[in-house]
Amino acid sequence: MLRLDLQFFAGEKTERATPNKRREARKKGQVAKSQEVSSAFTLLLAFVFFMIGGKTFVEGCFNIYRDTFQDSMLLNLTISSTQQLFGQLLLESVKLVGPLLLVVLGAGLFANFVQVGFMFNMESLKMNLGKMNPLEGFKRLFSLRSLVELIKSILKMTITGFIVFTEIWNKRDLIVSIGQKSIWDASRLIGSLTIEIGLTASASLMVLAVADYLYQRFEYEKKLRMSKQDIKDEHKKMEGDPVIKGKRRARQRQMAMNRMMQDVPKADVIITNPTHFAVAIHYDIETMDAPKVIAKGQDHVALKIKEIAKEHKIMTVENRPLARTLFATVEIGETIPEELFNAVGEILAYVYYQEGRHKEMMA
């Protein structure tokens, strides 16, 4: 019974997702994102645009209307004149609507970038036949997410409706008298009222959007949670199978061994035990402050070092305590310690003398 309880708790998803799990989810397009943030921010900037450039926009619309009914009505109806009129109207419309579309596009991109950063994912564009399953669709229809979406829709309609009603009710006297105003004053009143309602509604929807983003982030973190067993399995997967790991380490050791054996011909002397240890010493009096161990080995590796030394006519000197000490205390690529300078120096001096290099050392 205790074992079953332990298995249950081990499988319970109580742990925060690992960085690797988050990367995998992001590759699949699974991120904490709220569409309400993009919609509310885009709507807010659109009404800000109308508040700043609304007069220019309205004047542009009137200019197109006036030019169409004053000048274009007098044109002869031909193919060339129709093409010219269509091109002119299209150009004027682009000049008029283009800035608004750029603002809306920039707002949408910025809102998405703030939430998820830069992300281009082709995974979300692939067809998922599972979404066409009626049973899955029925489950989604009566899921907690559907209930939350329904509550959000009700809240948006309630907030928007309340704001519109309040603004219109507060300006009811002005709206009633709109028939007595000139067309410019009437359009200015309608425009200012529309912008005021839009800014208030979009600002209120931004508050709802922030709350929705926090909820979406909570749901995202909850969905990514892992059990202790999941974390262990992921760790094993990342570390790799023990057999494969052993083979990888063996291959790395073999590569290091090959590199070491390639350096043996550079040695000045091989100090041996004589059978169990072999240490290759290299020293360049012009570029090095002290001799350096460039290769070392035990048993069959030591035998291989001595074979290579013999092939390249490198002198081998037997010194059992020195060979043991160098093998145990100095790593490959390290210079010999100060306390071994004299012992190694005597051997190098002997080797150089035998090879006729003692004059070079004296110089």
Side-chain angles (χ1 to χ4, degrees), residues 12-295:
E12 191 175 0
K13 297 184 181 298
T14 57
E15 306 300 316
R16 289 176 60 86
T18 60
N20 183 63
K21 178 71 176 291
R22 295 179 185 277
R23 284 193 296 270
E24 292 296 327
R26 187 178 178 84
K27 287 180 182 178
K28 296 177 181 178
Q30 300 173 3
V31 290
K33 177 184 173 184
S34 171
Q35 289 296 127
E36 305 301 328
V37 173
S38 301
S39 301
F41 188 69
T42 302
L43 186 65
L44 179 63
L45 283 194
F47 278 105
V48 169
F49 171 82
F50 280 122
M51 182 179 67
I52 297 173
K55 182 179 179 181
T56 304
F57 186 83
V58 172
E59 288 178 352
C61 291
F62 272 109
N63 288 335
I64 293 175
Y65 182 83
R66 183 170 48 250
D67 292 342
T68 301
F69 284 92
Q70 284 185 357
D71 301 332
S72 302
M73 294 293 290
L74 302 177
L75 290 175
N76 293 326
L77 189 60
T78 62
I79 295 177
S80 60
S81 63
T82 304
Q83 291 176 342
Q84 182 180 0
L85 177 62
F86 179 78
Q88 183 178 354
L89 289 175
L90 182 62
L91 180 61
E92 294 296 327
S93 301
V94 169
K95 289 181 180 179
L96 196 63
V97 183
L100 175 61
L101 295 179
L102 289 176
V103 169
V104 171
L105 177 62
L109 292 175
F110 179 77
N112 281 281
F113 179 78
V114 168
Q115 293 184 84
V116 302
F118 179 76
M119 185 179 72
F120 182 76
N121 187 275
M122 298 295 295
E123 190 74 23
S124 57
L125 300 178
K126 294 181 180 179
M127 180 178 293
N128 188 357
L129 296 178
K131 292 183 179 180
M132 301 175 64
N133 189 340
L135 293 177
E136 293 295 328
F138 187 78
K139 290 179 181 178
R140 288 195 298 268
L141 184 63
F142 293 96
S143 63
L144 178 61
R145 177 175 289 275
S146 298
L147 179 61
V148 172
E149 293 296 328
L150 176 62
I151 294 174
K152 282 196 305 184
S153 300
I154 294 174
L155 281 174
K156 286 194 292 184
M157 289 188 295
T158 303
I159 292 172
T160 306
F162 176 77
I163 290 173
V164 172
F165 173 79
T166 303
E167 292 292 333
I168 292 177
W169 182 257
N170 292 335
K171 302 286 177 53
R172 60 186 182 278
D173 295 335
L174 292 174
I175 295 174
V176 169
S177 63
I178 198 171
Q180 303 173 3
K181 298 179 180 296
S182 66
I183 186 169
W184 281 108
D185 292 336
S187 61
R188 187 179 298 110
L189 175 61
I190 294 173
S192 62
L193 181 61
T194 303
I195 291 173
E196 187 176 347
I197 292 174
L199 288 174
T200 307
S202 56
S204 302
L205 291 177
M206 274 297 296
V207 177
L208 179 63
V210 171
D212 180 62
Y213 173 75
L214 295 176
Y215 170 77
Q216 296 293 341
R217 191 162 190 84
F218 169 77
E219 281 292 310
Y220 175 74
E221 293 292 336
K222 183 179 178 182
K223 185 178 180 180
L224 285 185
R225 280 179 189 170
M226 304 172 67
S227 64
K228 289 181 169 51
Q229 186 61 42
D230 291 336
I231 295 177
K232 290 179 181 178
D233 293 341
E234 182 186 273
H235 183 71
K236 288 181 181 178
K237 183 179 179 181
M238 292 180 66
E239 287 294 321
D241 185 84
V243 177
I244 298 176
K245 255 193 338 185
K247 291 181 179 179
R248 190 186 302 125
R249 288 175 180 172
R251 187 162 56 249
Q252 291 172 350
R253 285 195 298 269
Q254 185 62 41
M255 291 173 64
M257 181 71 65
N258 293 337
R259 286 195 299 268
M260 184 184 72
M261 291 302 178
Q262 290 174 0
D263 289 336
V264 172
K266 302 175 185 177
D268 293 300
V269 64
I270 308 297
I271 303 175
T272 64
N273 190 32
T275 56
H276 295 294
F277 298 101
V279 180
I281 302 294
H282 172 64
Y283 179 55
D284 187 344
I285 193 171
E286 295 180 356
T287 60
M288 298 171 62
D289 295 329
K292 181 172 67 174
V293 173
I294 60 173

